[in-house]
Amino acid sequence: MDQSQLTKLVKDKDLDHLRHFGGVNKVASALESDVNAGISGEPDDVSHRQRVFGINTYKQPAKGFFHYVLEAFMDLKITILLVCATLWLGSGIKENGVKEGWCDAGSTFMMVLLMIAVSAVSHHWQNRKFDELSPASGNILIDVIRKGWWQKVSIFEIVVGDVVCLKIGDRVPADGLFIEGHSLQVDESSMTGESDHVEVNSNQNPFLFSGTKVADGSARMLVTSVGMNTAWGEMTSSISRDSSEQTPLPARLNKLTSSIGKVSLAVNFLILVVLLIRYFTGNTQDKNGNQEFVVGQTTGHNIINSVVGIIADMAMIMVVAIPEGSPLALTFAHAYSMKRMMADRVMVRRLSTCKTMGRATIIRDDKSGTLTMNQMKVTKFWIGLDSVKENTYSSVSKNVLDLIREGVASNTTGSFYRPSLGSEYEFLGSTTEKAIISWAVSQLSMDMEDIKKRCEVIQVEAFNLQKKRSSVLIMKSTDDTVHVHWKGAAEMVLAMCSSFYDRSGIAKDLDENERMRFEQIIQGMAASSLRCIAFAHKQVPKEATKEKKDQKKIQEDNLTLLGLVGIKDPCEESTVQACQDAGVNIKMITGDNIFTAKAIATECGILKPQDEAFTVEGTEFRSYTPEERLQRVEKIRVMARSSPFDKLLMVQCLKQKGHVVAVTGDDTNGAPALKEADIGISMGIQGTKVAKESLDIIIHDENFASVVKVLWWGRCVYDNIQKFIQFQNTVNVVAHVINFVAAVSSGAVPLNAVHLMWVSLIMDMLGFLVLVTELPTRELMEKSPGYQTQPLVTNVMRRNLGATYQIAVLLTLQFKGESIFGVDEAGKRTLIFNVFILCQVFNEFDERNLEKKNVFEGIHKSKLFLGMVLVTVILQVAMVEFLKWFTDTERLSWGLWGTCVGISAVSWPIGWAVKFIPVSDTSIFIYLRSKSQELVRKILYRRQ
């Protein structure tokens, strides 16, 4: 069979063709695979299959570098600059000849081309980085069988012929055929739009599609198509990706940029009006010092040339002066933080998520493996009412131990294997399953493969959060007897039992007295932070095997209790405390009983004696009225025995109360809450694919400390963006004020279009590179999350604004520069331009921290910052000293260079002194609005 036949077979659900070919076994044979052992998995075999059948990735139409060049050319800003430069070139050549007339316009053309190049390179680089990040964020480990052993491989390494093991919550990784399984139901809504679950079996419907989700049951499938050859691949091939997101912070940035742009246009339009008025009133002079416009004497040709030149100059300044660096800075900050978090095995799927996480006020967490250290181990074992020590298992009845081994081996979704002789066993599955299997193998000498050969699995009821238990119906090949094995939460299983085995193997009736003693044992383990799991058994008649055909449930009454195990997992109190110090509350919502949940919460520091917080069970929370839930939800710290609906209900209540909610989870039952939350976080590589479909962040280590890192980086992104906004606002305010005052007073602007393009292109680019890549600091975790809901430009930023000193210095140079330093007009313009740029260089140091007085702390670690500052200074020296024709400047002496540096460096002590001035947390606009409302109320009161 070739690839086209395989694709058509599954896509068309052609059951007749499959049967005509010989069934799934024949297809596996044709693909040189085995339905039981899978493929060999050797590197040569895998690479050969990838060459023949393709790789399991979904390629999207890629945009080349020249696409971004064309996109930059079509930008309205660039178009206006090119038109103005062309007009300027024409008037310059006409007035001064070709040899000299092209210089001013030529430098503008060069700067515009440089802007296009930088824009294209930055956008191409950004998209390439996200193309690199996207596969990493979607890299999920899949259970496959190769060489007869269970293994975990990347979803991208799945090949045609692989045998994939599916369980509840998994996303089908490729198109394939059903081999065998139990009660498999698949959600195909992503393909068909139908919400009803589809039953998949070997008789009527053995076809599985990539992208669909396992809603119930478990199975093994044979992969027949991967990547773009799957039905899902065909759908995605025609969809072009749009990575742009209009989320709250970008929207606020765009609004701020738009406001600044409008003010910039208004100021520059006012400057244009002033220059035209000065020209027509005879207050301007040409290069020879003669009056440019004389009524009745100046020809119309000269008037047109002069007016066109003024309009072209100001149009270019208007366009260049509009700030556009903030959105790009935000994108770069997100990409940089995402890249850094990848080193900690944290994958952020969406740009906005990191920032949203930074303002989270509630983290709703499942205890399993996240608040704990994910090192689960069986530490207690009870047979009947006796606790069995680790080295005394030989005193327990062999029959009871055999039944426990049988129950562990057959009633599980986990497994283990030994990669090579002499190596340690590796265990697969959830943390609980791995702990139980590890204990059974090491302490009970369980031979899982031998038990599975001797026991035929007839029916399976998978574990879910409603029942808190799972079961299996098996038939022993040795004596053809049929047995039921149950495993799950101890109190749930205990309620199903009518008898129990003691350590001698004698079955005893479970009367009310013994039942109460067992409940005390369970509560005692729970109070010691142990997760208590019970095993139960029952031998049933052979007729029970027919119940599967009748779709009857496995018998769950009159069971015999085999034993209890207590599983311990140490807690991480320090990370919980770090979140609480940052003003973020942790709520633990778990399926454990209330005693275990309270013990874990107390050990982790979620519950404290002096707090008013309390614990509830899911049923109690569900029974509250909507008003009661909203009233109590903030005080609830722990919710035990919770269902998926309870989790969803709590998230909805918290959001109604105005909280930004982050939810962690690793199972399908948590998917509704994950999707409803502001941020959904998958914890651990065993997190099901349905959960991962609903979330924003994937953390490959079941470690709550990683959640704290995401919180830390989210705040860092916001803080760095504020630094860049302040830096950019300083540049814009100074440039506009100095140009406006100079235009009104002298009829000329000292900072021309080339100077402003240089600032916009180089200073903004280098500015955001050095400011948005600053690493997180401990002080960020001491702030309340509410600080991110304040305006982007805060009172602290207004206080720190270094524009006042710069404006004073530049205006002094504008009016007194020639007499103070003994330079001509061109020398004065050069001094103004040079001091303006160097002030921004020194200002970058002040913006490293908006509140701390010591801005040099940790500067030696910021190699990128120091490197970019050095590059800026070198480029500025080159602009002034070697590119006179380009920037319309004059070379400066060593003395003047020292003066420029000294004047600019004064901004450091001024910035340090300014930070001693206290500021209010209330926005000045809110303060003025409240005062005006208060004044209006007083006036109305007096009138009454």
Side-chain angles (χ1 to χ4, degrees):
M1 301 186 76
D2 59 23
Q3 181 60 69
S4 60
Q5 289 177 297
L6 290 167
T7 302
K8 189 174 187 300
L9 175 69
V10 177
K11 181 181 177 183
D12 297 343
K13 293 191 173 183
D14 195 342
L15 190 58
D16 292 335
H17 186 195
L18 178 61
R19 288 171 178 167
H20 181 265
F21 189 79
V24 179
N25 289 338
K26 190 69 175 177
V27 174
S29 178
L31 295 174
E32 298 181 5
S33 182
D34 184 273
V35 293
N36 295 313
I39 63 174
S40 68
E42 296 295 334
D44 291 343
D45 180 42
V46 172
S47 60
H48 174 67
R49 291 174 186 273
Q50 289 177 336
R51 285 195 303 271
V52 175
F53 298 108
I55 301 174
N56 197 31
T57 56
Y58 303 106
K59 296 180 181 178
Q60 304 241 340
K63 296 178 181 179
F65 174 73
F66 288 102
H67 168 84
Y68 298 104
V69 173
L70 182 62
E71 198 175 65
F73 257 114
M74 296 177 67
D75 185 9
L76 180 62
K77 178 176 180 177
I78 296 296
T79 304
I80 294 174
L81 287 173
L82 289 173
V83 170
C84 293
T86 303
L87 291 174
W88 204 0
L89 179 64
S91 62
I93 292 175
K94 197 168 187 179
E95 185 176 346
N96 301 312
V98 177
K99 188 174 182 180
E100 295 183 3
W102 72 272
C103 292
D104 291 339
S107 61
T108 306
F109 276 117
M110 288 185 63
M111 187 63 80
V112 170
L113 291 175
L114 187 58
M115 291 178 72
I116 291 170
V118 170
S119 174
V121 168
S122 62
H123 284 93
H124 178 65
W125 176 87
Q126 169 195 323
N127 279 271
R128 193 180 69 182
K129 287 298 178 187
F130 282 115
D131 286 340
E132 293 174 1
L133 290 171
S134 295
S137 65
N139 189 10
I140 298 169
L141 296 181
I142 303 293
D143 292 326
V144 301
I145 299 176
R146 291 180 178 177
K147 290 184 181 179
W149 295 102
W150 276 41
Q151 305 178 31
K152 282 193 177 292
V153 302
S154 166
I155 190 172
F156 304 126
E157 295 175 7
I158 298 291
V159 293
V160 171
D162 259 325
V163 175
V164 176
C165 304
L166 300 173
K167 60 183 181 297
I168 295 178
D170 285 351
R171 191 187 76 181
V172 180
D175 287 0
L177 298 170
F178 178 90
I179 298 174
E180 67 172 10
H182 304 283
S183 308
L184 184 66
Q185 291 195 340
V186 177
D187 177 5
E188 294 186 352
S189 58
S190 60
M191 298 292 298
T192 64
E194 299 292 335
S195 58
D196 294 337
H197 296 163
V198 177
E199 184 176 351
V200 180
N201 51 49
S202 56
N203 297 322
Q204 287 84 27
N205 179 29
F207 306 103
L208 290 156
F209 295 97
S210 173
T212 58
K213 302 164 189 174
V214 179
D216 198 5
S218 60
R220 287 187 291 122
M221 68 169 281
L222 175 71
V223 175
T224 57
S225 301
V226 295
M228 301 306 292
N229 293 317
T230 63
W232 183 257
E234 287 186 14
M235 290 175 59
T236 58
S237 63
S238 59
I239 301 173
S240 61
R241 181 195 59 192
D242 183 9
S243 60
S244 61
E245 295 182 71
Q246 190 67 2
T247 47
L249 182 58
R252 292 170 69 191
L253 269 177
N254 287 338
K255 185 177 179 181
L256 178 64
T257 302
S258 176
S259 300
I260 295 173
K262 290 175 183 177
V263 173
S264 174
L265 285 174
V267 171
N268 283 290
F269 181 76
L270 194 58
I271 294 174
L272 173 62
V273 172
V274 169
L275 291 178
L276 290 174
I277 291 173
R278 288 184 63 89
Y279 173 77
F280 284 109
T281 55
N283 289 310
T284 58
Q285 296 177 338
D286 59 19
K287 292 182 178 180
N288 299 319
N290 300 320
Q291 185 176 324
E292 282 191 290
F293 178 80
V294 179
V295 180
Q297 297 181 17
T298 307
T299 63
H301 174 74
N302 289 335
I303 292 174
I304 292 173
N305 283 344
S306 297
V307 170
V308 167
I310 292 172
I311 293 175
D313 285 354
M314 291 313 303
M316 293 179 73
I317 291 175
M318 282 185 193
V319 173
V320 172
I322 297 174
E324 291 187 342
S326 298
L328 183 60
L330 175 62
T331 303
F332 186 86
H334 276 125
Y336 179 76
S337 63
M338 287 169 66
K339 192 74 175 177
R340 291 298 298 258
M341 282 189 287
M342 282 178 65
D344 295 320
R345 294 169 59 78
V346 177
M347 307 298 175
V348 181
R349 292 168 63 98
R350 297 175 180 86
L351 271 179
S352 60
T353 302
C354 191
K355 157 64 182 63
T356 307
M357 187 66 187
R359 60 189 181 92
T361 55
I362 299 285
I363 297 178
R364 198 238 74 192
D365 193 85
D366 187 326
K367 183 268 301 181
S368 304
T370 53
L371 289 173
T372 52
M373 297 177 67
N374 194 29
Q375 298 171 359
M376 285 192 173
K377 182 181 179 182
V378 173
T379 58
K380 292 285 186 181
F381 178 38
W382 289 74
I383 295 291
L385 298 169
D386 297 327
S387 176
V388 183
K389 302 299 182 183
E390 187 171 317
N391 298 321
T392 61
Y393 290 174
S394 58
S395 63
V396 179
S397 167
K398 182 179 182 301
N399 178 54
V400 175
L401 291 180
D402 284 343
L403 288 173
I404 292 176
R405 294 187 194 102
E406 194 177 278
V408 172
S410 56
N411 186 16
T412 184
T413 57
S415 66
F416 72 96
Y417 73 100
R418 180 178 284 173
S420 60
L421 290 175
S423 61
E424 295 291 329
Y425 284 111
E426 293 189 13
F427 298 92
L428 304 174
S430 68
T431 51
T432 303
E433 294 286 0
K434 287 192 289 186
I436 293 173
I437 294 173
S438 173
W439 166 75
V441 170
S442 61
Q443 302 298 324
L444 303 185
S445 303
M446 180 184 73
D447 188 338
M448 197 167 182
E449 290 300 318
D450 181 63
I451 293 172
K452 286 188 173 183
K453 289 176 183 177
R454 291 188 285 105
C455 300
E456 178 190 355
V457 176
I458 299 170
Q459 189 177 352
V460 173
E461 282 193 22
F463 177 88
N464 61 59
L465 280 181
Q466 283 77 23
K467 292 185 176 181
K468 309 290 183 188
R469 58 187 185 266
S470 63
S471 63
V472 64
L473 179 68
I474 62 172
M475 178 183 285
K476 291 185 180 180
S477 59
T478 53
D479 54 11
D480 288 340
T481 55
V482 181
H483 300 260
V484 170
H485 282 279
W486 283 88
K487 176 185 71 180
E491 66 270 28
M492 299 292 187
V493 175
L494 180 65
M496 300 158 59
C497 296
S498 59
S499 59
F500 67 95
Y501 282 118
D502 64 12
R503 68 190 303 156
S504 301
I506 300 172
K508 296 182 178 180
D509 290 335
L510 189 60
D511 58 26
E512 288 304 316
N513 187 38
E514 272 80 15
R515 189 177 297 276
M516 188 178 297
R517 292 176 66 185
F518 273 112
E519 288 174 352
Q520 290 173 350
I521 291 171
I522 293 168
Q523 291 178 12
M525 282 199 279
S528 301
S529 306
L530 296 179
R531 173 177 288 186
C532 193
I533 306 294
F535 301 95
H537 163 266
K538 181 180 182 181
Q539 184 173 341
V540 296
K542 282 190 177 181
E543 288 75 18
T545 59
K546 298 178 182 178
E547 294 180 355
K548 180 189 176 185
K549 298 179 181 178
D550 299 333
Q551 299 298 316
K552 291 184 179 180
K553 293 184 177 180
I554 296 176
Q555 294 186 25
E556 53 185 37
D557 56 351
N558 296 321
L559 303 178
T560 301
L561 185 67
L562 293 175
L564 305 169
V565 293
I567 303 175
K568 178 73 173 178
D569 196 1
C571 287
E572 290 194 82
E573 185 176 357
S574 59
T575 53
V576 172
Q577 187 62 48
C579 284
Q580 292 172 340
D581 291 342
V584 181
N585 290 320
I586 310 295
K587 296 185 183 296
M588 191 176 82
I589 306 181
T590 178
D592 288 333
N593 67 52
I594 196 163
F595 301 103
T596 304
K598 288 177 71 174
I600 292 286
T602 303
E603 190 177 341
C604 291
I606 294 176
L607 280 178
K608 295 180 180 178
Q610 66 272 22
D611 287 346
E612 295 183 7
F614 59 92
T615 62
V616 296
E617 288 193 335
T619 53
E620 181 184 351
F621 184 73
R622 213 178 310 141
S623 66
Y624 291 157
T625 64
E627 292 76 17
E628 287 177 326
R629 275 196 292 269
L630 286 174
Q631 184 181 357
R632 302 181 184 182
V633 69
E634 291 181 310
K635 292 185 179 180
I636 295 173
R637 290 289 177 86
V638 178
M639 185 161 67
R641 290 292 178 231
S642 58
S643 70
F645 178 73
D646 300 327
K647 298 178 181 180
L648 176 62
L649 203 57
M650 174 165 275
V651 172
Q652 290 172 338
C653 290
L654 289 169
K655 289 180 71 175
Q656 286 181 41
K657 296 287 284 186
H659 291 284
V660 178
V661 185
V663 172
T664 68
D666 62 359
D667 52 45
T668 311
N669 295 289
L674 285 165
K675 196 167 186 177
E676 177 69 21
D678 296 287
I679 311 104
I681 305 172
S682 169
M683 301 294 293
I685 57 176
Q686 88 277 5
T688 62
K689 288 67 182 179
V690 171
K692 291 179 188 293
E693 286 274 309
S694 308
L695 45 80
D696 309 291
I697 299 171
I698 301 170
I699 298 176
H700 284 280
D701 294 318
E702 287 193 342
N703 189 337
F704 196 73
S706 298
V707 179
V708 178
K709 288 178 182 176
V710 178
L711 181 67
W712 203 22
W713 272 105
R715 295 188 173 190
C716 179
V717 168
Y718 187 87
D719 200 58
N720 287 347
I721 291 299
Q722 282 193 312
K723 295 174 187 176
F724 177 70
I725 289 172
Q726 175 154 322
F727 172 75
Q728 192 179 57
N729 285 348
T730 301
V731 174
N732 286 324
V733 169
V734 173
H736 283 94
V737 170
I738 188 66
N739 269 359
F740 178 74
V741 174
V744 172
S745 61
S746 65
V749 290
L751 298 174
N752 59 33
V754 173
H755 295 161
L756 292 179
M757 274 193 280
W758 166 249
V759 171
S760 175
L761 178 68
I762 304 301
M763 295 303 296
D764 281 2
M765 291 290 292
L766 298 183
F768 84 65
L769 272 174
V770 298
L771 292 176
V772 304
T773 57
E774 284 288 297
L775 299 178
T777 60
R778 292 292 174 190
E779 288 78 10
L780 291 174
M781 294 300 285
E782 297 173 0
K783 294 183 178 181
S784 168
Y787 84 97
Q788 296 196 35
T789 60
Q790 298 173 357
L792 280 171
V793 181
T794 64
N795 288 349
V796 170
M797 293 168 68
R798 293 187 183 94
R799 178 199 65 185
N800 294 350
L801 197 66
T804 306
Y805 169 71
Q806 292 185 33
I807 290 170
V809 167
L810 295 179
L811 287 179
T812 301
L813 290 175
Q814 170 67 20
F815 293 109
K816 299 293 183 180
E818 294 181 41
S819 59
I820 293 175
F821 298 104
V823 294
D824 56 12
E825 180 67 23
K828 182 188 74 174
R829 287 199 308 270
T830 304
L831 283 174
I832 292 174
F833 172 57
N834 203 34
V835 169
F836 176 59
I837 297 298
L838 291 178
C839 276
Q840 312 321 318
V841 172
F842 284 93
N843 193 35
E844 284 177 354
F845 287 85
D846 285 330
E847 309 305 353
R848 288 189 69 241
N849 196 299
L850 299 177
E851 297 184 26
K852 291 181 67 174
K853 299 176 181 66
N854 182 11
V855 296
F856 301 104
E857 184 178 332
I859 192 71
H860 61 285
K861 298 178 182 178
S862 301
K863 295 180 181 178
L864 178 63
F865 182 94
L866 295 174
M868 288 298 101
V869 167
L870 181 61
V871 168
T872 306
V873 172
I874 291 173
L875 290 174
Q876 178 62 18
V877 171
M879 290 283 282
V880 173
E881 295 296 318
F882 306 108
L883 298 174
K884 172 185 174 182
W885 61 272
F886 185 61
T887 56
D888 192 23
T889 56
E890 296 289 337
R891 300 185 69 173
L892 299 177
S893 65
W894 284 104
L896 290 177
W897 268 105
T899 301
C900 291
V901 171
I903 292 172
S904 305
V906 173
S907 61
W908 279 351
I910 292 177
W912 175 79
V914 162
K915 289 180 180 178
F916 282 96
I917 302 173
V919 294
S920 171
D921 293 333
T922 306
S923 169
I924 188 170
F925 297 109
I926 296 175
Y927 176 78
L928 292 174
R929 185 163 60 246
S930 64
K931 286 297 182 182
S932 62
Q933 290 173 349
E934 184 180 344
L935 180 62
V936 169
R937 283 195 299 269
K938 287 181 179 179
I939 293 172
L940 292 174
Y941 177 76
R942 287 175 181 175
R943 286 182 178 179
Q944 291 174 354

